[in-house]
Amino acid sequence: MPAVSVLLLVMPMATQAGSKDAQIDEMLVGLVVAFTAGWRVYRGGSLRSDAVVGLAGVWLLVSPFVLDAQNTAVYTADRVLAVVAGGVLIVLSVASMLLWRLDRGHT
């Protein structure tokens, strides 16, 4: 999660790809994921933090299409970054939820 949050914070500023709305969106999601990852390190994991990360991933998958509804180009750089990062966040949150549940089941 920290690597994805750094990627989302740095890439929009470094590449200047896509609309300003998409850049701001990716940076805000990067901040949410960074704070959630820090919270998990400080307080430990929970279903709530997994849900926040999962929702951030879902938003990253949906937001390029919502923010650029008038744009017909499908594979722009900002869309690819958002979709890949969103997919990674969803996979991480689901895996963490499953591990948390298995850990709680054995104790």
Side-chain angles (χ1 to χ4, degrees):
M1 278 190 286
V4 174
S5 66
V6 169
L7 179 73
L8 288 170
L9 287 170
V10 173
M11 287 302 289
M13 292 182 291
T15 62
Q16 297 293 319
S19 66
K20 288 294 180 192
D21 290 340
Q23 293 174 8
I24 291 169
D25 180 54
E26 290 172 8
M27 290 190 320
L28 288 175
V29 171
L31 282 173
V32 167
V33 172
F35 283 127
T36 304
W39 182 261
R40 290 176 63 94
V41 169
Y42 179 68
R43 302 283 281 182
S46 68
L47 286 178
R48 189 175 306 144
S49 63
D50 292 335
V52 168
V53 172
L55 288 174
V58 168
W59 174 249
L60 279 176
L61 287 176
V62 173
S63 65
F65 303 102
V66 172
L67 295 175
D68 289 336
Q70 72 279 5
N71 191 356
T72 58
V74 176
Y75 297 111
T76 59
D78 58 330
R79 282 189 180 182
V80 171
L81 172 67
V83 169
V84 169
V88 168
L89 289 176
I90 291 171
V91 167
L92 287 175
S93 68
V94 168
S96 180
M97 284 182 190
L98 290 174
L99 289 173
W100 186 83
R101 221 179 135 111
L102 286 173
D103 185 44
R104 296 292 177 193
H106 290 294
T107 58

